[in-house]
Amino acid sequence: MSEKITLVNGKLNVPNKVIIPFIEGDGIGKDITEPTQKIVDAAVEKSYGSKRKIDWYEVLAGEKSFKQNGEWLPQATLDAFSEYIVGIKGPLTTPIGGGIRSLNVALRQTLDLYVCLRPIRWFKGVPSPVRYPSRVDMHIFRENTEDIYAGIEFMTGTPEAEKFKQLMEENFGLEKVRFPDSTSIGIKPISKEGSERLVRAAMLYAIERKLPSVTLVHKGNIMKFTEGAFKNWGYELVENEFASQTFSWKQYEAIASEKGIDAAKEALKKAELEGKVIVKDVITDAFLQESLLHPFSYSVIATMNLNGDYISDQLAAMVGGIGISPGANINYNSGFAIFEATHGTAPNIAGTGKANPSSLILSAAMLLEYIGWKEAAEHIYDALEHTFTKRRVTSDLHALMEGATLLTTNEFANEVIRNIH
């Protein structure tokens, strides 16, 4: 009999026969969800035989939910993700007009899924715009609940905007607002607690996986009290909680100042040989350039919400696009996690067999890793790479590959299953 995942002493307790709630998704969500589940079931069976199994439990959200019960995001769906702790979802459309600004944001904020985790790696056979895509192996920790995505903004001309501008004028002045009479205003909250838990999660991830570095990406040279504070709080947390396991740029600079650059280089080299995590920071615009020119210099990325949005898409493009990039929204304290396709609903190709299910497949592999079923996840990664290498792909990749064989969504899924060795 299938059972729920529970949290015991801060750790997931995963039964061998486990219930996983899922949202089918809008547009191509229906096209990619069932093939993904078939692949996961095949990988689990290959890895564990009849000892382990996933019981897929559908919950409603998006257009399917709205058509059935008039609600875009029913409370029952939020309750299900809370009750079962770990789930997965297809792409969801954003309702037009009033109400929920974004279903994805609503899920993240309601369950306090403060990490958006986007691992970016290249699979052999996938076309890439960069010369050496094999050097791209990064893990993005994007803060998921703060920054301008908090949705605190006021449209010019509204009573709320006028009240806020009056508050500013009376207390801080409006000298820095160029056109105050026609200005809309947004607020960018960045907290110490939010920054610390994000950086802590990135550090633990790097240490557990023996990854070489964590980079704090920020625009603190301009936004000194938000993004600059994020950087400072990040370094402070590393010094307070991970001093014996890390070597930071602040230490490097202190040694260089006191003993010279050669001594600092020697200390850095020694730390790398000892397997310590190197903690550094980079200005966002510089990172966007450096990650293209020297991707091998970066491993785990910790950054805020808006930066993380930009960075995730650029890095995904370097390995073939968001169509083959997975994602997860996680609260490492409560254990809550929702894994998701990172692309949109693509309603123009829904039902045509053209959809590439790889993003959702890889997100499902992340789910398997998260619950400790790592052997099944490795089978999926290996099978996908075999499929790409054989150039048997869906229409998006077929258009970019010479000599490729065009497969429908279901045919591609069956090919992946055949390649589970």
Side-chain angles (χ1 to χ4, degrees):
M1 182 178 176
S2 297
E3 301 176 75
K4 306 172 192 173
I5 294 172
T6 55
L7 197 68
V8 179
N9 297 324
K11 293 185 177 181
L12 294 180
N13 178 41
V14 183
N16 285 329
K17 306 292 175 67
V18 62
I19 302 169
I20 299 293
F22 73 93
I23 296 171
E24 181 181 76
D26 299 325
I28 60 171
K30 184 174 182 179
D31 303 344
I32 64 178
T33 294
E34 185 177 347
T36 295
Q37 292 172 348
K38 287 168 56 179
I39 290 169
V40 172
D41 291 342
V44 169
E45 183 179 4
K46 184 68 176 178
S47 301
Y48 314 112
S50 60
K51 292 181 180 178
R52 287 179 173 174
K53 186 179 183 298
I54 291 177
D55 183 8
W56 301 102
Y57 166 48
E58 184 174 9
V59 295
L60 296 178
E63 290 180 340
K64 187 173 184 178
S65 173
F66 188 75
K67 289 177 181 178
Q68 289 192 24
N69 55 38
E71 295 181 271
W72 289 96
L73 183 59
Q75 184 61 43
T77 296
L78 294 170
D79 293 342
F81 281 121
S82 298
E83 182 179 357
Y84 294 96
I85 298 181
V86 177
I88 191 167
K89 58 176 280 297
L92 289 173
T93 190
T94 297
I96 297 173
I100 299 172
R101 294 164 61 92
S102 165
L103 296 176
N104 295 316
V105 172
L107 281 167
R108 294 166 192 165
Q109 292 186 343
T110 302
L111 297 173
D112 194 24
L113 304 174
Y114 63 87
V115 169
C116 177
L117 175 57
R118 295 279 295 273
I120 306 292
R121 57 167 285 189
W122 180 67
F123 288 92
K124 291 178 183 177
V126 176
S128 165
V130 299
R131 188 171 183 182
Y132 300 113
S134 60
R135 296 178 178 177
V136 181
D137 186 7
M138 300 185 217
H139 310 256
I140 304 162
F141 276 70
R142 167 188 171 189
E143 203 291 320
N144 223 2
T145 64
E146 298 190 318
D147 206 349
I148 61 172
Y149 283 73
I152 308 170
E153 56 181 3
F154 311 105
M155 181 65 188
T156 184
T158 62
E160 294 82 5
E162 295 308 311
K163 185 176 182 180
F164 189 83
K165 282 186 279 190
Q166 181 181 353
L167 178 69
M168 284 183 62
E169 187 171 19
E170 291 175 354
N171 294 275
F172 307 106
L174 287 174
E175 292 81 6
K176 293 184 179 180
V177 179
R178 186 61 58 92
F179 303 107
D181 292 338
S182 61
T183 294
S184 293
I185 294 174
I187 299 178
K188 179 186 179 73
I190 302 290
S191 71
K192 183 178 182 182
E193 292 86 349
S195 300
E196 286 181 339
R197 66 181 184 174
L198 185 279
V199 175
R200 182 182 295 112
M203 290 300 308
L204 291 170
Y205 184 92
I207 291 166
E208 179 186 351
R209 294 177 176 240
K210 295 181 171 58
L211 297 172
S213 67
V214 172
T215 303
L216 309 175
V217 180
H218 62 93
K219 194 65 179 171
N221 57 330
I222 304 298
M223 292 173 275
K224 299 182 185 299
F225 305 133
T226 51
E227 305 216 0
F230 168 85
K231 179 197 78 170
N232 294 334
W233 290 327
Y235 273 129
E236 288 172 8
L237 177 121
V238 169
E239 291 169 4
N240 293 334
E241 298 185 14
F242 300 98
S244 64
Q245 298 158 295
T246 60
F247 182 84
S248 74
W249 276 15
K250 291 184 72 174
Q251 291 172 275
Y252 181 93
E253 291 168 353
I255 295 170
S257 177
E258 181 181 348
K259 299 180 180 179
I261 192 69
D262 289 339
K265 288 181 178 178
E266 190 63 32
L268 174 59
K269 184 177 180 180
K270 181 175 182 290
E272 290 173 336
L273 290 172
E274 291 173 349
K276 291 187 176 182
V277 178
I278 308 303
V279 182
K280 50 192 174 180
D281 72 277
V282 179
I283 301 297
T284 306
D285 45 340
F287 175 81
L288 292 171
Q289 173 181 254
E290 287 297 307
S291 58
L292 280 167
L293 297 174
H294 308 291
F296 46 83
S297 297
Y298 302 100
S299 182
V300 177
I301 310 303
T303 191
M304 289 147 290
N305 214 331
L306 182 61
N307 290 336
D309 200 355
Y310 298 151
I311 290 167
S312 296
D313 278 15
Q314 176 182 294
L315 297 186
M318 292 165 65
V319 296
I322 59 173
I324 56 169
S325 296
N329 303 289
I330 302 172
N331 183 317
Y332 284 96
N333 300 323
S334 66
F336 293 154
I338 299 178
F339 298 79
E340 64 180 356
T342 59
H343 51 71
T345 58
N348 57 312
I349 62 168
T352 65
K354 294 182 178 181
N356 184 347
S358 296
S359 175
L360 192 61
I361 293 167
L362 288 167
S363 296
M366 288 177 67
L367 184 156
L368 292 170
E369 288 182 312
Y370 186 71
I371 66 174
W373 296 11
K374 296 181 180 179
E375 297 85 358
E378 285 301 322
H379 272 307
I380 292 175
Y381 295 137
D382 180 67
L384 270 175
E385 190 153 67
H386 273 78
T387 306
F388 293 140
T389 303
K390 292 177 180 178
R391 297 171 180 261
R392 296 178 62 78
V393 292
T394 49
S395 63
D396 56 335
L397 294 180
H398 180 265
L400 304 174
M401 289 182 175
E402 292 183 9
T405 300
L406 176 62
L407 302 178
T408 66
T409 307
N410 284 320
E411 289 171 341
F412 177 80
N414 291 334
E415 183 72 19
V416 173
I417 291 171
R418 279 192 290 272
N419 287 325
I420 295 177
H421 298 146

